[in-house]
Amino acid sequence: MARRSGRSQRGTRTSPVVVAGAAAAVLTATVLTVPGNAWGEPERPAPRAAAGAAAQECGTGAYQAEAVKDGGTWTARHGDDVVYTGDDMLSAMSAALGSLTPNRTTKERVVVRGDGTMRADTRLGLPSHSALDVCGTINVTGPSAGDMAPVYARGVTDVEVQHLSVTGTPLYGVFIRNATDVHLGQIDMRLSGGGIGVRVDRYNTTEPTRNVRIDDVYVSGAGSHAVETYGVDGLTIGSVTARDVGESGLLLNETVNADIGTVDAVDAGTGTGYAAFRMANRNGRIGGSYATNVHVDQVIARGGGRGIFCVSESGGAVIDRVDIADTGSNAVLVENCYNVTIAGESGTIAGPGDIRLAARGEFANNRDITLQNVRVTDSAINENPCGENTVVRNVELVNSSQNTC
């Protein structure tokens, strides 16, 4: 039976240490006849550190409210006041968030301690100026409905999810819509279907979501993308690690001013046209032009659909390093994109998937595409139709062919 009480104080509590459970062709080419290397699991780089200090351990530091599970009972407290007691995790978390200062203009924090279950047709709404730190796992069960997510925020500002672990079948694990100043910290989702791990978008098409920072996300088993954005201005991501997801590892739609660390995907979009890293729907276009504003440190892809896919008038992007092998479709497909550099620093691409530069009739052809500093093994570089100012340079071909204009 839930019960609420008045608050006698709005004190700030400090927690003990709690360990969280559960990251125009210019060619310089050498054609070799030696067999290609055996392409196995690559050495994985450490996730790029988030801006500022190392990630804080879950549950440590000051907080204003908490929801704690003891046996089968959840208790939510604000200061010394109990604001909920019962067996429902969602109700406990909601009560803790609801106990924070009304109409606040600075961020207040809720810590959740314990594992629990939520239905897929429910959601926890995160209000403005709130930080949520979940030291436990939320298991999502049952059929979903609408835009539901264990953590949901719409039309808010200054929100943070410091730690979050999700299992089960959510439609979305985290869903952020038309928000500003968003920070997602250490996000771990080991799913068994459902939809998208993390989606950040806008429902108001005239105003993008702004200033989003995602430190490190691990998603396995999602039915759709690990992470997807649509209509975001200002995005920083440390790392996206995707394993056995139904579609893309990281998909950026209509997103500008993005700085991405590592995209690391194994078996993302197997049997589909999706990719470890995909840009679509005029991603990177600012005011009708494609000045470089999307930067990716590294894309690692093994198996799945494609490694990299740029499509539908996207561009303005530089990918420094690539490590792609064994994709079921193209290792790289660039289709109707503008000002894109692949392997700006270095890379390896191994077949059977090829590197394809292509175009559909409804959009202008490729323009200012550069492929460089890469070793291509048991594959091919194919361009059709001819793009404008395609540059292929410092490419080593190993048992591979090149068919560019």
Side-chain angles (χ1 to χ4, degrees):
M1 183 71 176
R3 65 184 177 87
R4 296 184 59 89
S5 67
R7 289 164 292 173
S8 58
Q9 62 185 52
R10 293 191 179 275
T12 296
R13 298 169 64 91
T14 302
S15 70
V17 173
V18 177
V19 178
V26 178
L27 173 67
T28 304
T30 304
V31 181
L32 304 178
T33 58
V34 298
N37 293 336
W39 297 92
E41 182 77 4
E43 180 179 350
R44 303 293 173 186
R48 186 173 64 171
Q56 176 178 298
E57 193 169 16
C58 193
T60 61
Y63 60 91
Q64 284 67 44
E66 65 178 346
V68 179
K69 187 179 184 182
D70 184 6
T73 301
W74 283 94
T75 302
R77 292 184 177 87
H78 184 285
D80 293 328
D81 292 337
V82 174
V83 295
Y84 172 85
T85 183
D87 62 1
D88 186 67
M89 184 183 198
L90 175 57
S91 296
M93 295 189 295
S94 297
L97 281 167
S99 74
L100 301 179
T101 305
N103 303 315
R104 58 190 174 278
T105 57
T106 58
K107 190 181 296 176
E108 294 186 3
R109 180 172 180 240
V110 169
V111 176
V112 179
R113 308 183 195 279
D115 302 335
T117 300
M118 286 179 59
R119 298 197 322 270
D121 60 354
T122 62
R123 65 190 183 198
L124 176 67
L126 194 61
S128 293
H129 307 296
S130 299
L132 179 70
D133 203 11
V134 181
C135 306
T137 298
I138 301 173
N139 184 42
V140 180
T141 63
S144 60
D147 53 351
M148 295 297 171
V151 177
Y152 179 89
R154 174 170 169 167
V156 299
T157 188
D158 188 25
V159 294
E160 182 174 7
V161 181
Q162 296 169 330
H163 296 84
L164 179 68
S165 177
V166 178
T167 58
T169 56
L171 184 61
Y172 305 96
V174 175
F175 197 1
I176 308 293
R177 316 199 71 183
N178 271 99
T180 58
D181 299 331
V182 175
H183 177 207
L184 305 180
Q186 306 301 309
I187 310 298
D188 189 297
M189 299 186 185
R190 296 167 195 258
L191 308 178
S192 50
I196 298 173
V198 175
R199 179 174 167 102
V200 182
D201 73 9
R202 64 182 190 186
Y203 65 91
N204 177 355
T205 58
T206 64
E207 188 64 31
T209 287
R210 298 183 185 274
N211 191 21
V212 176
R213 189 179 109 207
I214 303 173
D215 293 346
D216 301 298
V217 177
Y218 176 96
V219 179
S220 65
S224 183
H225 315 295
V227 177
E228 180 183 20
T229 68
Y230 209 126
V232 175
D233 184 353
L235 173 69
T236 302
I237 298 178
S239 68
V240 174
T241 303
R243 296 290 182 268
D244 299 301
V245 299
E247 296 177 331
S248 292
L250 174 62
L251 170 55
L252 305 182
N253 300 287
E254 205 175 290
T255 294
V256 297
N257 299 317
D259 186 9
I260 313 299
T262 296
V263 180
D264 176 351
V266 175
D267 295 333
T270 300
T272 77
Y274 287 101
F277 174 60
R278 177 175 174 173
M279 296 181 291
N281 297 304
R282 295 181 172 175
N283 195 78
R285 186 168 96 158
I286 300 177
S289 64
Y290 292 87
T292 301
N293 67 94
V294 176
H295 175 253
V296 182
D297 286 350
Q298 184 172 28
V299 174
I300 301 170
R302 291 291 181 274
R306 296 181 168 114
I308 296 169
F309 186 12
C310 179
V311 66
S312 56
E313 298 185 305
S314 297
V318 172
I319 301 171
D320 288 341
R321 297 180 303 281
V322 299
D323 180 357
I324 300 170
D326 298 322
T327 57
S329 186
N330 316 100
V332 176
L333 174 56
V334 179
E335 186 176 78
N336 306 105
C337 290
Y338 320 108
N339 185 27
V340 176
T341 296
I342 296 172
E345 294 181 3
S346 63
T348 58
I349 297 174
D354 68 344
I355 301 164
R356 183 182 171 206
L357 309 180
R360 292 181 292 177
E362 63 262 42
F363 303 122
N365 199 357
N366 287 333
R367 183 177 67 251
D368 302 325
I369 307 301
T370 298
L371 173 70
Q372 61 184 25
N373 305 327
V374 66
R375 181 167 46 125
V376 179
T377 303
D378 296 331
S379 182
I381 305 171
N382 295 315
E383 182 181 19
N384 185 28
C386 297
E388 178 183 340
N389 191 33
T390 300
V391 177
V392 180
R393 62 189 170 203
N394 195 26
V395 171
E396 179 184 7
L397 300 176
V398 182
N399 286 346
S400 300
S401 62
Q402 181 200 339
N403 306 288
T404 54
C405 300

